[in-house]
Amino acid sequence: MRNDSVINDGEGAENVSFPNAVLRNGNGSLLSADQLPEVLFISSYPPRECGIATYSQDLLKALNNKFSDSFSLRVCALESENTELAYPEEVKFVLDTNDPQQYAVIADAINKDPRIRVVLMQHEFGFFQGRGEEAFAQFLHAIHKPVVIVFHTVLPHPDETLKAKLRHIIEACSSVVVMTKSSAKILQDEYGMAPEKIVVIEHGTHLVPHLNKEFLKEKYGLAGKKVLTTFGLLGPGKGITTTLDSLPAIIEANPDVVFLVIGKTHPGVVKSEGEKYRDMLEAKVEALNLSLHVEFINRYLPLEDLLEYLQLTDIYLFTSNDPNQAVSGTFSYAMSCGCPIISTPIPHAKEVLREDTGIIIDFQNSHQLTDGVNRLMSDEPLRMAFESSTLQRMAPTAWENSAIAHAQLLRRKAREEIVLQYRLPQTKLDHLKKMTTEFGMIQFSKISQPDLDSGYTLDDNARALIAITMHYELTGDEEDLNYIRIYLDFIKYCLQPGKYFLNYVDEKRKFTKQNETTNLADANGRALWALGYLVSQHAILPAALTEDAEEIIEAARTRVEMIHSTRAMAFVIKGFYYYNQLKKSPANTALIKKLANRLVQMYRHESERHWQWYEGYLTYANSVLPEAMLCAWQETGDPVYREIAKSSFDFLLSLTFTESGIKVISNKSWLQKGQKAAHYGEQPIDVAYTIQALDRFFNEFGEEGYLEKMIAAFSWFLGNNHLNQIIYNPCTGGCYDGLEESRVNLNQGAESTLSYLMARLSLDQYMEVGHGKTLAKKANLVRMCE
């Protein structure tokens, strides 16, 4: 098993395309890599040291990680000093911004290159000065391809000269991206820009695993310290002196405080004055007797280390002196790590920070800074509340979501010549393992941290048994056997002397009173499904595992006929369908028929021309009903089961799929016959069950529409939903708990994570050797889910 690094930096995807649409050339075959349309970034770029260079590289990596089968990404690197930097291979051109002649040469090259379909320009006023300023505007007007420009700074209160210059730039561009609503408002109100040309895409942030703060402090030699942090390329505009002036009073109240100043001096500052600014700061530290409380980390930190420093930080300090600084990447990164923030009132801070996420102070006001720090340091519950609110606020800004927003914009501006395809993430069991103790899989998590107080459920451990068995079937990973044993033993633990299962177990391994007040039928059915699926893999599993599972099934079957809950019956049908793969017994078949006939009776009672369903409403896990009927047909050959399975499934799909993708029944309000569907409140489990059912129906009927819908449904996890946000977290391997109207529930509990894994593993079979037929069908998908 591959163990990805803590940071999802673009290496966590399989080298196969996962299309929700497919690129084709003139004869209908798929486009090869060298035929993909090209997006040209024009920006500063590493190894040049500046914030926009890092931003561009992060965005490029995120776009590649999600959409590298949709377009090729190349770079025109901006330089201003004729330095010969060793650029990476994606850099196609280098433009000296001080040389007016180069602008015309590169514009001509862009126009003559048929692969370049759209240009993404990163703009900062400092890039184009002197002779380069006028040449840059002419350059944009000379490019005959669509240009999307990203303004990293939007200056308010422009004079007529600045207004004219910016308007001239905007005229050459198809679209303008800004990172805050306040910047968009300035462009409209003060520059007269049409709102339909403006797109707000917030500064991207990295997903982090949210490691234990005390563990990280120990790792970096900060155990027992209260940590204040700021980072970024150092210069006078950072306002570090404001913090130094506030520290004596902070230390008086918090003797164990330490202030980390992370980052090298800005190359532009070094060029103009050397290390004068840093030397001044160090002298001030000495003069104020702060040496034991201030640490300068004067070096470039790898991203993983930087994000760990931010995760161990108790309060992040952003003390910029520049009121016109529209946005700050360092500010965004700190928020994405859950840092409570104290900030000066730059537009970005005023827009993002609320009363529940941070504190805003006046520029250069050390007294307000002191009060803010001491208040937060003395109130741990408030800091924890800030952390939780901050993480929720920054979730939409993950680089993965930024990539989706940029890709959709680029597709539109490239005149539909780009067709988006999501890449298939690598299967990752990290979160499953993190949520699993020696006893079983924990029910809930707080963000990505297991919440042992929530206890365990039979439901989740049955799902876990299915998911890990699917993984073992595909990979043969011997470590999976240990987890199969844990989940199997948990199911056995829940089996009572009366031959039924209890569902809820607390952190002390005791059954809770919730078992007395909750209908346990579905949990019992789900356990039998898991046990049957395990037994069906008898050819590859150790006999001890399948024999134990068979023993539990035989003990529990005595009460199965007493089950009348609709979905519980469906789970049992699936379980005994799989069980019959080992022991084809008349008794098993008879049980399947008995439960299937009950579903038939329900269907005939409720169905009518415009409502082909088993009940007068649609609730959760709907897809398991037609799938169970199809299992019954596959086991018995009764054509009634097949007919009802297909008609009911096609009816369900007509209500849950649109031209843009899947939208499962809301858990906020079930869909009643004759009523309109409620919106929002979508759960991963319903998407996963739909994918599993589509898999079975595709293999039975061979209709490509089922496979297309399976692909479309899985893209829901990757961002093809009404918020255009990821539901699967590729950093942790966990899955968010739900999609609401305006936010994603960031907790990554067992049910959602296992649902994602079952869906992901259902697709994996199409990638394996020996499935050439279905793989070929996959490659011939028609355009979907744009």
Side-chain angles (χ1 to χ4, degrees):
M1 287 294 296
R2 170 177 172 160
N3 182 18
D4 279 356
S5 63
V6 222
I7 305 305
N8 177 44
D9 60 358
E11 298 180 356
E14 302 280 4
N15 189 27
V16 295
S17 65
F18 179 73
N20 66 335
V22 170
L23 291 173
R24 300 180 181 281
N25 59 24
N27 59 19
S29 60
L30 297 178
L31 296 182
S32 62
D34 60 357
Q35 294 175 309
L36 288 173
E38 188 171 290
V39 176
L40 181 69
F41 276 53
I42 302 180
S43 174
S44 58
Y45 202 73
R48 181 173 175 179
E49 295 178 341
C50 82
I52 294 178
T54 303
Y55 171 93
S56 294
Q57 186 177 59
D58 286 341
L59 176 57
L60 186 142
K61 284 183 177 181
L63 283 164
N64 259 331
N65 195 37
K66 291 197 76 73
F67 298 110
S68 64
D69 300 300
S70 305
F71 41 67
S72 171
L73 298 170
R74 302 298 297 275
V75 178
C76 172
L78 300 178
E79 274 300 338
S80 60
E81 299 175 358
N82 291 317
T83 54
E84 293 187 6
L85 298 175
Y87 284 110
E89 62 181 0
E90 62 265 23
V91 173
K92 185 172 188 173
F93 308 112
V94 176
L95 170 60
D96 180 353
T97 57
N98 290 324
D99 184 351
Q101 294 182 348
Q102 287 194 21
Y103 288 93
V105 172
I106 291 181
D108 186 58
I110 292 171
N111 292 333
K112 290 180 177 177
D113 190 331
R115 287 189 58 193
I116 297 177
R117 307 298 171 83
V118 63
V119 173
L120 183 62
M121 175 80 219
Q122 306 296 325
H123 177 273
E124 183 58 81
F125 289 99
F127 284 165
F128 310 102
Q129 297 178 334
R131 295 187 302 162
E133 184 176 12
E134 183 178 348
F136 169 67
Q138 293 173 349
F139 170 68
L140 290 179
H141 281 271
I143 294 174
H144 300 156
K145 308 290 177 74
V147 176
V148 174
I149 193 164
V150 182
F151 284 135
H152 288 255
T153 298
V154 178
L155 296 174
H157 317 303
D159 58 25
E160 290 304 315
T161 301
L162 176 59
K163 193 182 297 185
K165 287 179 180 178
L166 207 64
R167 284 175 172 173
H168 189 51
I169 289 172
I170 291 169
E171 286 171 1
C173 301
S174 300
S175 190
V176 173
V177 174
V178 292
M179 299 181 197
T180 64
K181 294 176 183 176
S182 59
S183 292
K185 191 173 188 306
I186 291 170
L187 285 176
Q188 292 178 57
D189 295 349
E190 301 184 34
Y191 291 87
M193 185 175 173
E196 59 270 17
K197 199 170 184 177
I198 304 171
V199 179
V200 178
I201 303 177
E202 293 188 82
H203 194 296
T205 58
H206 293 278
L207 294 171
V208 297
H210 302 292
L211 302 173
N212 181 272
K213 193 181 293 286
E214 300 311 314
F215 164 78
L216 291 174
K217 286 183 178 181
E218 183 77 30
K219 176 179 177 179
Y220 289 99
L222 295 166
K225 300 294 185 182
K226 294 178 178 177
V227 181
L228 310 174
T229 300
T230 193
F231 88 94
L233 294 172
L234 206 58
K238 285 285 183 183
I240 305 298
T241 55
T242 303
T243 303
L244 296 183
D245 287 336
S246 71
L247 273 179
I250 292 173
I251 294 166
E252 184 177 348
N254 302 277
D256 51 357
V257 78
V258 61
F259 176 42
L260 303 180
V261 184
I262 303 173
K264 298 169 65 176
T265 306
H266 194 289
V269 174
V270 173
K271 181 181 177 182
S272 63
E273 61 179 45
E275 291 288 2
K276 180 180 177 181
Y277 179 68
R278 183 180 294 274
D279 293 341
M280 181 274 293
L281 293 177
E282 292 176 349
K284 190 175 183 71
V285 167
E286 291 293 332
L288 294 175
N289 197 27
L290 299 174
S291 299
L292 297 179
H293 299 276
V294 179
E295 181 179 347
F296 290 94
I297 303 175
N298 183 14
R299 65 181 186 277
Y300 171 81
L301 288 182
L303 181 61
E304 182 176 332
D305 292 352
L306 172 61
L307 295 179
E308 288 188 350
Y309 268 110
L310 291 175
Q311 289 175 77
L312 65 79
T313 295
D314 292 295
I315 304 173
Y316 185 80
L317 305 179
F318 184 82
T319 53
S320 169
N321 295 330
D322 182 4
N324 293 325
Q325 184 173 354
V327 69
S328 166
T330 64
F331 181 96
S332 297
Y333 283 16
M335 287 196 74
S336 73
C337 291
C339 297
I341 292 181
I342 299 176
S343 174
T344 49
I346 67 166
H348 192 188
K350 289 193 290 185
E351 187 166 309
V352 171
L353 286 186
R354 300 185 298 253
E355 289 184 359
D356 60 349
T357 54
I359 297 172
I360 293 181
I361 62 172
D362 293 333
F363 292 106
Q364 299 178 326
N365 194 319
S366 59
H367 296 294
Q368 290 181 2
L369 181 56
T370 298
D371 292 343
V373 170
N374 287 343
R375 176 191 169 201
L376 286 175
M377 285 299 189
S378 65
D379 193 341
E380 184 175 359
L382 181 60
R383 293 203 312 274
M384 296 303 100
F386 275 20
E387 178 178 345
S388 177
S389 297
T390 296
L391 291 174
Q392 187 66 61
R393 170 62 185 84
M394 296 307 289
T397 70
W399 277 117
E400 288 76 7
N401 294 331
S402 179
I404 294 168
H406 279 90
Q408 291 174 338
L409 175 61
L410 293 170
R411 177 184 63 81
R412 293 194 301 270
K413 297 308 170 182
R415 306 182 182 98
E416 308 295 330
E417 294 179 355
I418 292 174
V419 183
L420 298 184
Q421 307 176 76
Y422 288 89
R423 291 190 74 196
L424 188 63
Q426 181 189 40
T427 303
K428 189 172 182 177
L429 299 183
D430 298 40
H431 195 59
L432 174 145
K433 294 178 179 179
K434 185 176 181 179
M435 292 283 287
T436 301
T437 69
E438 61 181 12
F439 179 58
M441 190 167 188
I442 297 167
Q443 182 177 192
F444 296 139
S445 74
K446 294 178 179 178
I447 308 298
S448 62
Q449 297 304 311
D451 180 12
L452 186 57
D453 290 343
S454 68
Y456 307 83
T457 67
L458 174 65
D459 282 331
D460 291 329
N461 282 273
R463 294 185 192 100
L465 183 61
I466 295 168
I468 199 67
T469 304
M470 292 174 71
H471 188 265
Y472 183 74
E473 179 187 4
L474 287 163
T475 67
D477 188 339
E478 292 293 320
E479 189 179 354
D480 290 348
L481 297 176
N482 299 326
Y483 289 90
I484 291 175
R485 171 53 69 185
I486 289 172
Y487 306 136
L488 179 60
D489 286 350
F490 185 92
I491 293 175
K492 186 174 183 180
Y493 184 85
C494 292
L495 182 65
Q496 302 302 294
K499 310 304 180 185
Y500 63 91
F501 298 95
L502 296 181
N503 190 24
Y504 302 100
V505 185
D506 67 19
E507 73 278 10
K508 296 179 181 178
R509 307 186 183 186
K510 296 188 180 299
F511 293 105
T512 72
K513 291 185 178 180
Q514 192 173 355
N515 290 295
E516 301 170 10
T517 59
T518 305
N519 189 329
L520 302 177
D522 284 6
N524 277 255
R526 195 173 281 109
L528 289 166
W529 168 24
L531 293 166
Y533 183 71
L534 178 66
V535 169
S536 75
Q537 301 302 314
H538 62 90
I540 61 172
L541 290 171
L545 292 172
T546 55
E547 289 169 1
D548 281 0
E550 185 179 356
E551 182 180 331
I552 300 169
I553 292 173
E554 290 301 324
R557 72 179 300 152
T558 57
R559 294 176 62 96
V560 165
E561 292 185 15
M562 299 169 60
I563 293 176
H564 288 271
S565 168
T566 313
R567 281 150 190 78
M569 290 190 293
F571 291 139
V572 172
I573 289 171
K574 288 185 67 175
F576 276 85
Y577 164 80
Y578 284 118
Y579 188 30
N580 248 6
Q581 309 304 304
L582 172 64
K583 287 192 171 182
K584 192 87 168 178
S585 79
N588 290 344
T589 302
L591 179 59
I592 291 172
K593 286 179 66 70
K594 186 165 190 171
L595 297 180
N597 286 339
R598 289 179 187 171
L599 292 178
V600 170
Q601 290 174 352
M602 295 176 69
Y603 179 84
R604 287 174 172 167
H605 182 265
E606 289 291 342
S607 66
E608 52 191 53
R609 181 180 178 186
H610 299 296
W611 187 264
Q612 299 176 49
W613 198 244
Y614 309 83
E615 300 163 312
Y617 45 80
L618 289 165
T619 60
Y620 75 99
N622 298 298
S623 295
V624 74
L625 303 183
E627 185 189 4
M629 292 301 293
L630 192 58
C631 286
W633 143 256
Q634 291 173 330
E635 181 57 38
T636 68
D638 188 330
V640 172
Y641 301 156
R642 186 177 190 269
E643 178 185 341
I644 291 176
K646 193 169 194 318
S647 62
S648 61
F649 192 48
D650 289 348
F651 166 72
L652 177 63
L653 296 179
S654 73
L655 295 177
T656 52
F657 277 85
T658 67
E659 291 183 359
S660 60
I662 191 170
K663 198 170 187 64
V664 293
I665 303 302
S666 168
N667 70 339
K668 302 297 183 186
S669 176
W670 304 135
L671 175 59
Q672 304 290 329
K673 184 192 295 188
Q675 297 182 1
K676 291 185 177 180
H679 294 292
Y680 316 119
E682 299 173 61
Q683 301 295 301
I685 191 170
D686 288 300
V687 179
Y689 282 167
T690 302
I691 289 170
Q692 288 189 304
L694 285 163
D695 177 29
R696 184 174 299 279
F697 275 77
F698 170 68
N699 282 292
E700 174 62 34
F701 293 97
E703 295 180 13
E704 286 195 8
Y706 291 134
L707 185 57
E708 292 165 3
K709 285 182 170 63
M710 183 162 53
I711 300 298
F714 191 79
S715 71
W716 180 88
F717 290 102
L718 306 181
N720 185 31
N721 49 62
H722 75 267
L723 290 183
N724 292 315
Q725 292 181 31
I726 55 170
I727 309 299
Y728 168 66
N729 184 321
C731 173
T732 64
C735 179
Y736 298 136
D737 278 351
L739 179 68
E740 307 299 339
E741 179 177 1
S742 59
R743 69 181 185 91
V744 173
N745 182 338
L746 297 184
N747 294 325
Q748 298 162 48
E751 178 187 291
S752 55
T753 294
L754 293 166
S755 296
Y756 169 81
L757 281 172
M758 287 190 288
R760 173 66 183 82
L761 292 164
S762 295
L763 292 173
D764 246 340
Q765 63 181 300
Y766 297 107
M767 309 302 164
E768 294 299 306
V769 176
H771 292 265
K773 180 179 179 181
T774 50
L775 191 60
K777 286 182 177 292
K778 171 181 177 293
N780 284 307
L781 293 178
V782 298
R783 180 173 179 168
M784 287 200 41
C785 305
E786 282 280 336

